[in-house]
Amino acid sequence: MFTVVSRISPAKDISLIEVFAPRIASAMLPGQFVTVKPTAGSRSVSLPVMKINHQAGTIGLLVQAVDEATALMVNNPEIFIFDRLTGPLGRPSLLADCNDRELVNSKLLFVAGGLGVASALMQIEWLNNIGVKTDVLLTAPTKASLLFREQFEKNCRNVYLATDDGSVGFHGSVTQMLGLLPTDQVKGYDLITTFGPLKMMKQVADFALNHGFPATAGFVELLSATGLNGFRLDVGGESMDVALEGPEFDARQVDFQHAISRSSISVSSAKDTAETVKLRGIPGIGLGEPVSKQA
């Protein structure tokens, strides 16, 4: 059993829950995630880890109430012990394979929206702790729904904001915002990593594909927001499990249009849980590496 240390609500139906889990905290690498079973009778939920406190032995989980299990975590203060917490799960970000000097010399951009800010902030803080300053583009419908802006400003070199209603930052889409950045700056990025809503990640993937540089997309928030514990991807004709072989993939190869068409998947439609979100293979284009791997 795992004790809830604190629970704060940055927005309606969303909570940042700090849980005492020293083993997981010590083993967690950027890009990985956990599953939580809040009570013995509830389902397990895949969740992104937003922060780690190694000294206190805690991890911070960003949870949105989308079904009974997640609502228990977000809205029921009487639940202060989780029945089960499993992790770390999934493959770490490819950045974890690089040594500190390589990372310090790289130029990285993160694009995040919605619950995707959790995975983005986890990786950005990890990079900041080893001396790597990154850029981030945060997108949200309104200023009020822009989560954890101060934490990003503390850890990033440049923070770009875009809102659908123009209440703060740029008034427009991610693609439009990226298009306003200086050409030399955009071409200088070694890697763009994106987390968040499918439509937003599709814009980033299309932008990366059109400009010919590497980009990765993470899908932990999709698992969490749709109430699914996992789904399979068809990558170059090979079926891949997101939880085991992801959760990050080459954004340029994801068939986001097909994924968006399946976005109506929910726990209320059991037959859809086995559906496959497919990836498109792009001949001659591989993921590549933003920086060389450590020997």
Side-chain angles (χ1 to χ4, degrees):
M1 294 186 179
F2 298 83
T3 303
V4 175
V5 177
S6 66
R7 183 187 279 108
I8 63 173
S9 298
K12 180 178 172 56
D13 292 329
I14 295 178
S15 287
L16 175 58
I17 303 175
E18 189 175 6
V19 184
F20 183 68
R23 181 191 64 78
I24 295 176
S26 64
M28 200 85 193
L29 290 174
Q32 295 181 299
F33 65 99
V34 300
T35 61
V36 179
K37 190 174 184 180
T39 65
S42 64
R43 72 173 183 88
S44 295
V45 183
S46 298
L47 293 172
V49 174
M50 194 180 95
K51 59 187 297 185
I52 297 176
N53 187 327
H54 291 286
Q55 184 174 0
T58 61
I59 59 175
L61 308 174
L62 192 63
V63 189
Q64 183 175 24
V66 296
D67 61 5
E68 183 178 356
T70 49
L72 285 173
M73 287 186 273
V74 173
N75 299 323
N76 192 336
E78 295 183 0
I79 297 179
F80 56 90
I81 295 179
F82 291 151
D83 182 70
R84 188 179 305 165
L85 196 158
T86 305
L89 300 173
R91 293 181 179 274
S93 164
L94 62 86
L95 297 175
D97 289 336
C98 304
N99 63 41
D100 294 359
R101 179 178 297 180
E102 292 169 330
L103 290 172
V104 168
N105 292 328
S106 65
K107 190 173 181 182
L108 308 173
L109 172 67
F110 288 83
V111 182
L115 292 184
V117 297
S119 292
L121 193 56
M122 162 69 176
Q123 295 199 21
I124 288 171
E125 287 191 340
W126 176 78
L127 289 164
N128 186 59
N129 287 337
I130 57 178
V132 183
K133 286 295 184 180
T134 58
D135 294 347
V136 65
L137 194 167
L138 300 176
T139 180
T142 66
K143 179 180 179 180
S145 58
L146 193 63
L147 301 176
F148 307 109
R149 175 179 173 181
E150 291 183 359
Q151 285 90 326
F152 282 104
E153 291 175 341
K154 177 182 177 181
N155 287 280
C156 295
R157 177 178 48 221
N158 296 304
V159 178
Y160 306 102
L161 306 176
T163 50
D164 295 344
D165 66 354
S167 53
V168 66
F170 176 72
H171 184 188
S173 68
V174 167
T175 303
Q176 292 170 326
M177 179 74 241
L178 287 170
L180 291 178
L181 298 178
T183 302
D184 291 343
Q185 178 178 343
V186 173
K187 289 184 177 180
Y189 287 120
D190 298 297
L191 178 70
I192 294 181
T193 302
T194 183
F195 305 98
L198 286 173
K199 290 183 179 180
M200 183 213 75
M201 292 200 295
K202 181 181 185 302
Q203 292 178 341
V204 176
D206 290 343
F207 185 86
L209 184 60
N210 291 335
H211 288 78
F213 48 72
T216 58
F219 293 88
V220 175
E221 285 77 13
L222 179 63
L223 301 182
S224 174
T226 59
L228 296 175
N229 286 328
F231 53 80
R232 301 191 69 83
L233 303 174
D234 184 4
V235 186
E238 181 180 354
S239 180
M240 302 181 70
D241 188 299
V242 172
L244 297 177
E245 299 172 273
E248 292 183 25
F249 297 91
D250 185 345
R252 302 166 305 174
Q253 294 191 32
V254 178
D255 186 348
F256 279 102
Q257 198 57 50
H258 183 270
I260 291 169
S261 72
R262 304 305 307 162
S263 62
S264 59
I265 293 174
S266 68
V267 291
S268 63
S269 181
K271 66 185 175 107
D272 283 342
T273 60
E275 286 292 327
T276 299
V277 179
K278 294 186 177 180
L279 297 178
R280 65 176 182 270
I282 304 177
I285 299 180
L287 174 59
E289 298 174 0
V291 287
S292 58
K293 295 294 183 70
Q294 182 178 5

